[in-house]
Amino acid sequence: METGSMILRNLAYSLFVYADNSFLSFAEKHRLLELIRSFLIAFVLFLLRLIPSLTPNYFPFDSLKLTKKGAFTHSPPSGDGVGAVDVGEKFGIGRALSQSLSIMSEIPVSSRKYDVVRSLAEKIIEDNRREGSPALCEVNRTVLSAAFSRTLAQLELDVVEKGVGPEVWAESGNGPGPVDYRLFKVLRVVRSIGDVAWTKVGGRARVGGSPAGRSAEKLAAELVWLAEKMAACGFADDAVRRWASASRLAWLAISAEPRLQCSLVKLSAFLFAESKDFIEKDLSEHEKEQLKQMKIQMLQSWLPLLCRASNGTDAPVLSGSKRSEVEKVLEEIIETLDEVHQEKVLTLWLHHFTSCPSSEWPNLHASYTRWCDAARKSLLLHQDLLLLNQE
C-alpha cells in the first residue's frame, strides 16, 4: 500500500511537471491562462499531499528495525496468518485501542470526556504491555505508530493552513521555497471549497482550518504523549523515524506560536535522547547506513528549532539540567558521524545559534571545536602525504 501510493505520487508528479512545462510558454503570454495554471498547480499539490496521508505508516526508513539498550524486544507473531499491519485491525483489542485514540484526537481538551477516553486508552496500552505477549505488543506497536503518523500529518496540515509569511517562506533551508508561497493562497482557497463541500455532506465542522476539537497545540501535546507511550512499550524507534522525516514541519515550526514551539522542543529533546541509545550490534552495513542517515536528517531538521524556539511562556519547557542533558545527547550523536556530516550539522547549528539573540541553547561549542581540531589534522595529514609523494 505504501509503496503503491509513492509510485502513484511520483508518476502523477512526473506527468504534471511534463504537462506544466509544455503549458508554461503559452501561459506566460496570457494572464487568464496564468491564473488557470496557478489554480491547477495548487489543486495538484493538494492531491499529491493527500496521497501520502492515506498511508500514514509510510517512511523511507521503515525497513530499519532498531532496538534500544534495555528495551523489550519482540518479533511479529508468525504462523497464525496475522501480519504486523493486520494485527491491529483483525482483533477487537486492536480496534478498541484504535477507536479510543481516534476519539481522543477529536474531543477538545476542555471536555471532561477527554480525560475519560485518554485514561481508557492508557489502560488498554498498559494492560497489553503487562501481558508480555508478542501479539499484544504488536497491537500496541501497530496502533500507536499509526496514531503517531496520523497526528503528525494533521499537525503539519494545521500549521500550513495557519499561513506563513513570504519572508519566512522564501528563507533557505528545508522549506519548499518561494514558488510554493505564491501558490499557497490559491491552495487555501481550494481547501476552503473542500471544507464547505465536506460540511454539506455531513462532515464535522472545522474551526480555524482544523476539525472541532483539534488545535496545533493539542496535536503537539498528543504527539508527546504518544511518543512517551511508544518508548515505554519498547519501540521508540517508530516515533524517532517519523520525527526525523518531518523536515517540513520542523521548518514551519520556526515561525510557529511559542506554545506550539514548546511542545515540539519537548518532543524533539525526548526523541533525541531515545535515538542516542539505539544499538547497532545486529544491524547489517546497509541498516547501519540507514541509522546514520536518520540521525543526520533528525539533526538537520530539528536543530534550527532548538536554537530559535521559545523556552516557555508561563514556565520553562525544559529545566536547566534537562537542557544540559540534551546538549550532551546532541554532542554524543554528532560524535558518531563522520567528519563531512559533522561539518554540515555544526555549520547549520552555528548559523541558527548565532542568528537568534534571545537564546543561548543548545551550546555545541565543544563539538564545534573538536570538529575544527579534526579538520585541521586532516589538512596537515593531507599535506604530509603530498610531500611524501613529491619526494
Side-chain angles (χ1 to χ4, degrees), residues 94-223:
R95 293 193 296 271
L97 179 56
S98 180
Q99 182 188 27
S100 61
L101 292 175
S102 178
I103 293 175
M104 188 180 81
S105 70
E106 299 288 342
I107 300 177
V109 179
S110 57
S111 172
R112 57 189 179 87
K113 293 182 180 180
Y114 179 83
D115 292 331
V116 174
V117 177
R118 178 162 164 165
S119 297
L120 177 61
E122 285 183 325
K123 187 177 188 307
I124 295 174
I125 295 169
E126 181 57 27
D127 289 348
N128 288 349
R129 188 191 66 80
R130 190 165 48 245
E131 285 291 334
S133 164
L136 288 174
C137 288
E138 195 61 32
V139 166
N140 279 355
R141 173 189 281 271
T142 304
V143 178
L144 285 172
S145 296
F148 189 91
S149 297
R150 182 174 62 250
T151 305
L152 183 58
Q154 290 167 353
L155 175 59
E156 180 176 326
L157 183 60
D158 187 88
V159 173
V160 168
E161 287 182 343
K162 286 182 182 297
V164 182
E167 71 282 353
V168 179
W169 204 272
E171 184 177 335
S172 61
N174 295 325
V179 176
D180 276 3
Y181 176 74
R182 292 197 297 267
L183 303 175
F184 179 69
K185 292 181 180 179
V186 183
L187 178 60
R188 292 189 69 179
V189 172
V190 174
R191 182 72 189 212
S192 299
I193 294 173
D195 291 341
V196 172
W198 175 250
T199 54
K200 291 292 185 182
V201 298
R204 180 170 298 192
R206 297 167 66 91
V207 179
S210 299
R214 292 182 190 167
S215 68
E217 292 79 7
K218 176 179 181 288
L219 293 171
E222 287 178 354
L223 279 176

Side-chain angles (χ1 to χ4, degrees), residues 59-114:
F59 187 78
F61 302 127
D62 269 346
S63 61
L64 179 60
K65 298 301 181 182
L66 304 173
T67 57
K68 186 172 178 284
K69 296 175 183 176
F72 177 84
T73 58
H74 64 276
S75 301
S78 58
D80 56 358
V82 182
V85 176
D86 296 333
V87 71
E89 302 174 355
K90 286 191 174 181
F91 294 93
I93 190 63
R95 293 193 296 271
L97 179 56
S98 180
Q99 182 188 27
S100 61
L101 292 175
S102 178
I103 293 175
M104 188 180 81
S105 70
E106 299 288 342
I107 300 177
V109 179
S110 57
S111 172
R112 57 189 179 87
K113 293 182 180 180
Y114 179 83

Side-chain angles (χ1 to χ4, degrees), residues 36-52:
I36 295 173
R37 174 178 173 269
S38 298
F39 182 83
L40 291 175
I41 291 175
F43 185 71
V44 171
L45 287 174
F46 172 70
L47 292 179
L48 291 178
R49 291 186 183 187
L50 181 63
I51 292 173

Side-chain angles (χ1 to χ4, degrees), residues 315-328:
V317 64
L318 297 177
S319 64
S321 59
K322 184 64 177 178
R323 287 156 72 91
S324 298
E325 179 184 331
V326 173
E327 283 182 348
K328 184 178 179 181

